Amino acid sequence: MPAKLFQDIEEEVTSFLSGLIRINTTNPPGNETAAAKYVAETLEQEGFKCELFESETGRGSVVTRLKGARRKPSLLLLSHLDVVAADAREWSVEPFSGLVKDGFVWGRGALDMKGMTAVEVMALKLLKRNNVELKGDVVLAATADEEKGGDAGAGWLVQNHSDKVCADYVLNEGAGMAMKIDEKDTFTINTAEKGILWFKVKAGGTPGHGSVPGAADNAILRMNKVVEKLSSFCPKIRLVPTVKQFLSQLTGSRMFRDLSVLLRNPAQSDQVLDWVAQEDKFLAEELRAMLRMTVTPTIIRGGVKENIIPSECEAVFDCRVLPGQSPAKALREIKQLLKDAGLDKLSFEIIQANDPSESSLNSSLYKLIVRVLKEFDPKCGAVPVLLTGGTDSRFFRRLGSVCYGFHPVRPETSYSEMARTIHGIDERISTENLVFGTSVLYNIVERFMT
Ligand SMILES: [Zn+2]
């Protein structure tokens, strides 16, 4: 049976998304409760029972469940309701108007990720309307706080109400947008994400008069060494399963054939990527970050007065580790590297540490996603991707759930042009893609759960 396209829901899903964008959930402060109530109202009109959970006043998440016969694993449709800030002066439309114009719904969150909330809510409503007999539970959770780390949203729910949200499989954000490769739409499926280690280094010294530098021990100069050492640090290249698969599929195309060196001889990756960077800097650097751990300075503070040599300087580093590595081990490696910078005068503080995570590329759900996409477009491709950033999926992978980031979106403009609107300006999604996204998701869920 070929996959069904639900053209008749275009207006319903469009107006739902437009209304959701109009509820300003810029985080901070978030104020997601209003959006959670809006989602609940729509679902309750259809006969769903929804539960609203607040980690603190105003920080609401909504959860509902379509019960199945418990003969199959459960599936969670996850999304977050908060968005990042938008400066109306930079946009060509009011970012919280939810304006529907030229076949698009415009506004902050259209792609990241209220558009996927809309698609998930619509697919769930259709499952109920069509009286689909589910063999396992389908849960929907639209949560607070993802853009600030999820500790007041998905992380809090997993910790305090795991019975309500935990599921064997999870579909979330993180990928889904198609790239044009050799004229074919190639959809991305997020199967892994890097872990985070944010840490602060404090360098100490001895103060003195700025006119006699030799008599003091300048903490800025010590920090200089630290920054120098860490930014020239070139950790070993490691191809995790997702990246290996991603590269081997990519290099099968005409467009990326030359990247096959990366697979044959990973040690030469930097040379190849330097060469790619001359054509496409962004792509080259994204690929480079998928191959190894990275460490980069993001904040530096030191000194109090023009003529005082400072005895203290501090810097913050953003380190990202690959699946298979751990933040604790990375920190040990970093300390080892800084031995010559005077470890006795350096102190370390972990600001945040999240483990990396990866889900199998061989699950029945992954294979079904690819199969359903091919039914919509037999020529299309699908590749697994590693995110260099993080999503709420990590809270669920930690518990053993198989999680994929997959919000299917056909290219409207170029991939990089669309990707730039996320957290950028003029974020929008076509109503055609809302219909496509709902249809793909519905077909996946219906088949996976029956
Ligand atoms: Zn997001």
Side-chain angles (χ1 to χ4, degrees):
M1 190 181 60
K4 294 181 283 256
L5 189 74
F6 294 95
Q7 200 55 60
D8 52 333
I9 51 101
E10 181 169 341
E11 211 187 296
E12 186 176 350
V13 67
T14 299
S15 83
F16 173 78
L17 174 59
S18 168
L20 189 56
I21 289 172
R22 280 200 296 277
I23 302 168
N24 186 337
T25 49
T26 302
N27 183 13
N31 284 327
E32 298 91 343
T33 296
K37 282 187 176 157
Y38 174 78
V39 171
E41 271 162 32
T42 311
L43 286 166
E44 279 161 1
Q45 277 167 20
E46 205 85 21
F48 285 87
K49 276 207 176 77
C50 296
E51 284 183 280
L52 190 85
F53 298 97
E54 281 190 321
S55 55
E56 50 194 274
T57 310
R59 308 305 306 275
S61 298
V62 61
V63 181
T64 192
R65 179 177 296 258
L66 256 187
K67 278 215 172 295
R70 299 206 172 241
R71 278 187 286 127
K72 273 205 167 182
S74 50
L75 172 69
L76 168 66
L77 306 178
L78 181 65
S79 68
H80 66 81
L81 294 168
D82 61 319
V83 294
V84 295
D87 184 347
R89 289 167 304 183
E90 296 169 342
W91 283 55
S92 57
V93 302
E94 163 49 46
F96 295 97
S97 64
L99 184 69
V100 182
K101 186 184 83 164
D102 305 329
F104 286 82
V105 186
W106 296 66
R108 176 57 84 225
L111 287 166
D112 182 14
M113 69 173 291
K114 288 175 170 172
M116 189 172 178
T117 307
V119 158
E120 289 181 343
V121 166
M122 192 67 239
L124 200 68
K125 288 202 277 186
L126 287 173
L127 286 169
K128 194 170 169 76
R129 268 180 220 170
N130 295 343
N131 293 313
V132 175
E133 276 186 39
L134 299 168
K135 288 194 178 140
D137 286 5
V138 178
V139 186
L140 179 137
T143 65
D145 199 39
E146 193 275 342
E147 299 291 358
K148 293 279 283 172
D151 286 334
W156 181 86
L157 279 170
V158 163
Q159 202 152 53
N160 295 283
H161 299 281
S162 65
D163 55 317
K164 302 286 183 188
V165 290
C166 287
D168 302 299
Y169 290 86
V170 179
L171 288 175
N172 183 27
E173 67 174 341
M177 212 184 272
M179 304 181 274
K180 278 262 184 241
I181 299 179
D182 289 356
E183 306 300 309
K184 285 192 306 198
D185 288 355
T186 302
F187 290 88
T188 50
I189 304 169
N190 160 238
T191 51
E193 61 186 52
K194 283 179 113 176
I196 292 175
L197 170 65
W198 290 341
F199 64 97
K200 189 191 275 180
V201 181
K202 269 192 188 158
T206 315
H209 199 284
S211 65
V212 194
D217 178 14
N218 194 332
I220 287 181
L221 295 179
R222 176 159 296 109
M223 186 57 83
N224 212 17
K225 273 192 201 162
V226 172
V227 172
E228 181 70 45
K229 281 256 178 211
L230 293 187
S231 38
S232 56
F233 178 31
C234 196
K236 217 176 144 223
I237 286 180
R238 287 181 59 238
L239 297 183
V240 301
T242 294
V243 174
K244 214 179 237 176
Q245 178 73 22
F246 172 72
L247 287 173
S248 68
Q249 283 185 243
L250 221 59
T251 52
S253 69
R254 256 183 297 121
M255 228 166 117
F256 292 103
R257 208 165 31 201
D258 298 337
L259 288 179
S260 58
V261 180
L262 262 63
L263 277 169
R264 284 200 311 274
N265 191 356
Q268 279 180 15
S269 298
D270 284 314
Q271 272 164 282
V272 178
L273 291 174
D274 288 346
W275 172 76
V276 174
Q278 291 174 10
E279 287 283 310
D280 190 336
K281 174 88 177 142
F282 187 78
L283 173 74
E285 297 315 323
E286 276 245 73
L287 287 171
R288 215 190 296 270
M290 290 181 194
L291 303 178
R292 59 160 63 96
M293 167 176 136
T294 58
V295 192
T296 189
T298 49
I299 300 173
I300 190 158
R301 291 188 204 98
V304 284
K305 198 172 181 296
E306 290 80 355
N307 60 357
I308 297 177
I309 291 173
S311 60
E312 217 177 80
C313 180
E314 60 175 46
V316 171
F317 294 83
D318 182 350
C319 168
R320 305 288 172 133
V321 300
L322 285 169
Q325 301 176 324
S326 81
K329 229 174 130 190
L331 189 60
R332 281 203 295 277
E333 207 177 324
I334 284 164
K335 284 183 181 172
Q336 187 66 22
L337 205 75
L338 296 175
K339 261 178 28 199
D340 319 340
L343 270 185
D344 56 322
K345 297 268 176 62
L346 298 176
S347 65
F348 296 81
E349 182 196 325
I350 294 177
I351 299 167
Q352 195 177 327
N354 303 328
D355 283 326
S357 64
E358 186 164 28
S359 290
S360 165
L361 308 174
N362 285 315
S363 74
S364 50
L365 180 58
Y366 186 91
K367 288 175 189 159
L368 180 61
I369 292 173
V370 178
R371 211 159 55 234
V372 168
L373 283 171
K374 295 254 185 213
E375 284 179 30
F376 280 99
D377 175 4
K379 283 198 306 226
C380 80
V383 289
V385 289
L386 164 79
L387 275 192
T388 52
T391 70
D392 284 339
S393 291
R394 71 173 181 280
F395 297 117
F396 295 88
R397 287 206 186 107
R398 199 182 291 161
L399 300 175
S401 308
V402 173
C403 302
Y404 298 122
F406 182 62
H407 172 204
V409 174
R410 281 177 167 147
E412 284 153 352
T413 52
S414 78
Y415 178 84
S416 53
E417 228 170 282
M418 275 180 87
R420 263 201 294 272
T421 68
I422 296 174
H423 293 209
I425 58 172
D426 288 346
E427 187 178 347
R428 60 195 182 276
I429 187 168
S430 69
T431 57
E432 219 172 279
N433 258 323
L434 289 172
V435 170
F436 176 69
T438 305
S439 306
V440 172
L441 184 66
Y442 178 92
N443 280 276
I444 291 168
V445 179
E446 187 197 37
R447 275 187 245 178
F448 191 62
M449 302 306 290
T450 56

